[in-house]
Amino acid sequence: MIYQKKEWVEASFIKDYEKIYQYSITDPEGFWESVAEELLWFKPWKKVLDWHYPYARWFVGGETNLVHNALDRWQKTPIAGKLALIWVGQDDQERKFTYRQLNEEVSKAANLLKTLGVRKGDRVTIYLPRIPEQFIAMLACAKIGAIHSVVYSGFSTEALKTRIEDAQAKIIITCDWYPYKDKKLTPIENVKKAIKDISSVKNVLVVKRNFVSQTSTFQPDSSIYLFWDEEIKKQDNICPTTIMESNETAFILYTSGTTGKPKGVVHGHGGYMVGVYATAKYIFNLNMPQSKQVFWSTADAGWITGHSYILYGPLLNGATTFIYEGTPDYPNIEIWWKLIDQYQITHFYTAPTAIRMLMRYGEGPLKKYQLSSLKILGSVGEPINPEAWFWFYRNVGREQCPIMDTWWQTETGMNMISPLPSVPLKPGSCFKPFFGVVADVVNEKGEPVKKNKKGFLVIKTPWPAMLLDLWQNPERYRKTYFENEEIIKNSKFETLNSKQIKNSNDKNSKSLDNSNLGFRISDFVYFTGDSAKIDDDGYFWIIGRNDDVIKVAGHRLGSAELESAFVSHPKVAEAAVIGLPDEVKGEKIKAFVILKHGVNPSEELKKELALQVRSQIGPIATPDIIEFVDSLPKTRSGKIMRRVLKAKELGQPLGDTSTLEN
């Protein structure tokens, strides 16, 4: 079934996706240049795109700054008096900042960092919960050309230490305590332990969480510890914005792999800014200053969603960003719906995991709320199964809001495959690539697969917001994203990439003729690490991570499609599926199932669920083992860690678990 409404099309920036998309891939540099021209630059670029394997550099020679466009450009316009940020604490405290007030706070924070010796290119680790200072600190770093590295406040001491050491951070910004449900967490204690043997750290700025009284139980035992609140008062509220070349680093964001230390994904000022600005504008219909737009992304700035669509995307478009400190089920299961009504949220962007968790409690908690302010819903973090999509559409959006089911990654910086409000929607599909993005699904030989067949998801054109590199690890960057071993073991890609490497290292070499491969030397292939399929209408369906594919008797089954079959049962809230070794079939299917609130587990229900999956996918997908559980291992961003389930089942090391919520 396809969902599309006339009023959605009429209210959308883009009314004809296909027309604009064809133009954008015919002349991608022209398209992205036209977007970049909507933003402010201290100096224009000399070249839109410079692609030298394996690096793409955008708006080369152009000079700008993320903060120049997120804050500076609004100061002499009516938007200066508009709310930029609304914050609500778990304890019901409220703090609001207009664009003018936020600019002043950012300037004071930037001046504070400069008094502590922070200069352009220095790294600042931000280890804060979802409080305004988290975002003020990010903007302050970008304003003076420092590099921010946000570390999720729930990470352990060891996870924090690894990230500080790798970045060689000069300053740490943290807080004395913060509430997390009924607990009181003290991140400053983790910082004290983490920095013991790290010589790069010169100062630790400590925010007092008691915003009203500005008192603290933390007693500094060294001169390196300074209270943010006290030092900020000494600073001037005017600070010049540092001019940055488009490809100079704005931030590092660490993302975990299955093994080894976390990868430090590097993003710059210019290209990232253009990509995030455009996707926020066109996918979420932002950049309409004359209308009241309050954008709520329920993520944390410890993740890329928090960078791109809590902070930079909304501010680049002059919208209001809303931040809630707490969780979706505290102090009660209704808190999100209450806040939507109270603050007249217009855009609500959350994770399928959160939606499925709320589904466990039924529709009752929503019925007392209007939710009439909502205009657009969004899904992020992992594929949204059709059942969760329908629940979200019917009960939260009241069948009046299109759902922007977005696929992207920390590395991509921006939404890559996503609907627009004007296009026909298919529940469970993330539609088609964003403008200027060419995506495809290929097999082990790098050849496009047939329609509705699963394969490896790849991107075939550079895009402005793509990562610049991995921090101090160019070899890992190249091997992870451009020489993915899963595909190139004996494929055409192997030959192409090996020749590209040779050519890029030989200044005197002539352009190579790869016509027999069907590629040119300039061809770009980015390996996403995800599996997907494309249907007859060209819509993309994300199956899951490549390592989440289960091979049963030679058949490739995606964990996401199996889980969706489980969740389509009215008694199931969530499910995680893994493959275990089997002598006959290669792998057998084991499912971990969370039932809805009030449903009792039974052997009969297991049989019922097995039949459900069998009928929806086929006999080959019949689960061998079903286990009822109360919770699943998830990252703080809501992704199910299936590899952890599999490792536990097989008695293997769990790998990097620093991102686990539970």
Side-chain angles (χ1 to χ4, degrees):
M1 188 177 294
I2 289 179
Y3 291 79
Q4 187 181 37
K5 290 180 181 287
K6 182 181 178 182
E7 53 267 33
W8 298 349
V9 178
E10 292 175 347
S12 183
F13 266 114
I14 303 296
K15 296 176 174 57
D16 189 338
Y17 163 82
E18 296 294 346
K19 179 180 178 181
I20 303 298
Y21 180 73
Q22 287 305 316
Y23 156 65
S24 76
I25 61 171
T26 301
D27 182 13
E29 293 186 33
F31 170 79
W32 287 117
E33 185 168 41
S34 68
V35 174
E37 287 170 346
E38 297 178 15
L39 298 163
L40 296 183
W41 297 77
F42 295 112
K43 180 181 177 182
W45 47 89
K46 297 177 181 177
K47 191 174 184 180
V48 177
L49 171 62
D50 183 27
W51 162 243
H52 284 92
Y53 179 85
Y55 294 106
R57 297 293 181 256
W58 286 86
F59 310 109
V60 179
E63 295 178 350
T64 186
N65 187 302
L66 272 166
V67 175
H68 187 49
N69 282 280
L71 291 179
D72 296 354
R73 73 172 174 142
W74 305 122
Q75 297 309 307
K76 294 182 180 180
T77 73
I79 291 177
K82 180 180 178 178
L83 283 175
L85 188 151
I86 302 171
W87 176 83
V88 175
Q90 185 180 282
D91 52 4
D92 289 333
Q93 287 190 61
E94 179 187 83
R95 296 170 69 189
K96 295 180 178 180
F97 302 82
T98 64
Y99 272 86
R100 183 177 295 109
Q101 291 168 333
L102 184 59
N103 184 59
E104 291 174 353
E105 291 301 314
V106 168
S107 294
K108 287 190 283 186
N111 285 327
L112 170 55
L113 291 174
K114 290 202 295 187
T115 64
L116 297 177
V118 177
R119 299 292 181 261
K120 178 179 175 179
D122 287 342
R123 278 76 64 201
V124 176
T125 295
I126 301 170
Y127 186 56
L128 285 169
R130 275 193 302 263
I131 57 176
E133 283 73 14
Q134 185 185 45
F135 304 95
I136 291 169
M138 293 168 68
L139 291 164
C141 288
K143 186 175 182 69
I144 63 172
I147 299 169
H148 63 69
S149 169
V150 181
V151 179
Y152 179 70
S153 61
F155 277 177
S156 66
T157 300
E158 191 57 38
L160 172 64
K161 181 179 181 179
T162 300
R163 289 157 172 79
I164 295 173
E165 276 184 323
D166 191 65
Q168 285 295 287
K170 193 171 188 176
I171 302 290
I172 313 296
I173 304 175
T174 189
C175 66
D176 48 5
W177 71 277
Y178 69 95
Y180 181 78
K181 296 188 178 181
D182 57 355
K183 298 176 182 177
K184 187 175 181 179
L185 304 182
T186 53
I188 183 59
E189 298 303 323
N190 286 350
V191 171
K192 289 175 69 176
K193 296 173 187 174
I195 66 172
K196 278 183 179 178
D197 303 316
I198 303 178
S199 60
S200 67
V201 177
K202 305 306 179 187
N203 285 103
V204 177
L205 286 166
V206 184
V207 178
K208 298 172 184 175
R209 174 57 181 76
N210 284 329
F211 299 121
V212 178
S213 65
Q214 289 201 347
T215 58
S216 178
T217 56
F218 171 66
Q219 298 296 321
D221 56 5
S222 167
S223 60
I224 71 167
Y225 296 98
L226 301 169
F227 281 117
W228 168 282
D229 318 72
E230 296 172 8
E231 299 300 321
I232 281 286
K233 293 175 183 176
K234 305 173 186 177
Q235 309 304 320
D236 189 61
N237 64 2
I238 298 174
C239 177
T241 297
T242 300
I243 296 173
M244 305 295 289
E245 198 277 333
S246 176
N247 295 283
E248 289 187 286
T249 301
F251 64 87
I252 305 167
L253 186 56
Y254 287 89
T255 180
S256 295
T258 54
T259 59
K261 69 178 184 179
K263 304 187 293 287
V265 174
V266 176
H267 282 291
H269 278 263
Y272 172 80
M273 174 180 72
V274 171
V276 171
Y277 165 75
T279 48
K281 176 179 179 179
Y282 294 131
I283 293 173
F284 294 103
N285 274 356
L286 292 184
N287 201 340
M288 293 184 175
Q290 72 278 9
S291 61
K292 183 180 178 183
Q293 294 182 312
V294 185
F295 192 101
W296 182 8
S297 168
T298 64
D300 185 281
W303 316 112
I304 189 64
T305 303
H307 284 58
S308 299
Y309 301 107
I310 291 181
L311 187 62
Y312 293 117
L315 296 190
L316 288 168
N317 282 282
T320 302
T321 190
F322 178 84
I323 302 155
Y324 173 55
E325 181 182 38
T327 63
D329 58 350
Y330 193 88
N332 55 59
I333 203 67
E334 300 176 8
I335 183 63
W336 277 7
W337 322 131
K338 175 186 173 183
L339 291 170
I340 288 172
D341 273 4
Q342 184 176 347
Y343 290 93
Q344 293 294 283
I345 305 299
T346 55
H347 298 68
F348 186 58
Y349 193 32
T350 193
T353 301
I355 297 167
R356 289 192 291 266
M357 184 270 286
L358 293 165
M359 285 172 64
R360 295 178 66 184
Y361 298 90
E363 293 74 48
L366 291 106
K367 289 183 176 178
K368 63 178 76 172
Y369 300 97
Q370 296 292 322
L371 308 183
S372 56
S373 62
L374 290 171
K375 303 299 181 187
I376 293 178
L377 303 177
S379 172
V380 60
E382 64 178 0
I384 184 169
N385 54 295
E387 292 68 32
W389 194 101
F390 281 121
W391 191 90
F392 198 28
Y393 178 72
R394 291 167 179 161
N395 296 290
V396 180
R398 307 290 162 85
E399 302 189 10
Q400 299 303 312
C401 302
I403 297 176
M404 302 298 98
D405 177 10
T406 60
W407 176 87
W408 58 304
Q409 302 172 319
T410 302
E411 293 86 346
T412 70
M414 68 181 211
N415 300 147
M416 296 291 283
I417 306 176
S418 171
L420 304 180
S422 59
V423 305
L425 306 174
K426 292 185 181 183
S429 166
C430 55
F431 187 61
K432 300 177 183 180
F434 186 71
F435 304 127
V437 176
V438 177
D440 203 355
V441 177
V442 301
N443 60 21
E444 287 84 352
K445 293 185 177 182
E447 301 162 339
V449 300
K450 294 180 179 179
K451 297 291 186 183
N452 298 303
K453 296 294 183 181
K454 307 179 195 72
F456 300 104
L457 178 63
V458 297
I459 308 297
K460 292 187 172 182
T461 51
W463 64 97
M466 68 179 289
L467 76 167
L468 297 177
D469 209 336
L470 291 179
W471 182 253
Q472 296 185 332
N473 203 336
E475 183 179 1
R476 192 177 182 187
Y477 164 82
R478 175 172 52 81
K479 288 185 175 180
T480 301
Y481 306 111
F482 295 93
E483 297 169 28
N484 190 299
E485 291 182 0
E486 279 195 83
I487 301 182
I488 66 171
K489 287 173 184 174
N490 55 0
S491 70
K492 295 176 179 179
F493 285 129
E494 182 177 31
T495 307
L496 173 66
N497 285 339
S498 63
K499 285 187 177 182
Q500 282 181 317
I501 296 165
K502 179 181 177 182
N503 193 44
S504 64
N505 291 333
D506 183 359
K507 294 181 180 179
N508 298 317
S509 65
K510 297 179 180 179
S511 180
L512 298 176
D513 179 13
N514 290 318
S515 57
N516 61 316
L517 302 177
F519 294 101
R520 298 183 309 276
I521 192 63
S522 59
D523 278 352
F524 172 100
V525 181
Y526 168 90
F527 299 102
T528 69
D530 280 349
S531 295
K533 63 182 180 181
I534 304 174
D535 69 15
D536 294 331
D537 298 317
Y539 281 53
F540 282 70
W541 299 76
I542 307 301
I543 306 300
R545 297 298 293 169
N546 290 336
D547 53 10
D548 287 337
V549 172
I550 302 167
K551 296 180 181 178
V552 180
H555 297 267
R556 291 169 56 89
L557 299 169
S559 56
E561 62 182 334
L562 289 162
E563 289 158 7
S564 179
F566 275 102
V567 177
S568 66
H569 192 283
K571 294 182 180 179
V572 174
E574 287 190 82
V577 175
I578 62 171
L580 297 175
D582 183 88
E583 291 183 3
V584 178
K585 297 187 291 184
E587 283 190 294
K588 59 185 176 183
I589 299 168
K590 178 168 183 178
F592 300 84
V593 176
I594 298 177
L595 298 175
K596 287 185 177 177
H597 194 64
V599 177
N600 295 318
S602 67
E603 291 302 315
E604 284 302 312
L605 183 53
K606 285 184 181 180
K607 294 176 182 177
E608 200 174 314
L609 293 175
L611 286 173
Q612 167 99 358
V613 176
R614 181 187 177 97
S615 64
Q616 285 206 8
I617 302 177
I620 195 68
T622 305
D624 299 272
I625 309 168
I626 298 175
E627 181 180 337
F628 294 118
V629 295
D630 295 322
S631 64
L632 293 167
K634 298 175 185 174
T635 65
R636 273 83 167 183
S637 59
K639 293 182 181 178
I640 298 171
M641 298 284 275
R642 298 172 188 87
R643 67 171 179 80
V644 172
L645 289 170
K646 190 167 185 175
K648 288 186 73 173
E649 288 289 313
L650 299 176
Q652 298 173 345
L654 301 185
D656 179 12
T657 59
S658 61
T659 60
L660 277 180
E661 175 72 38
N662 53 350

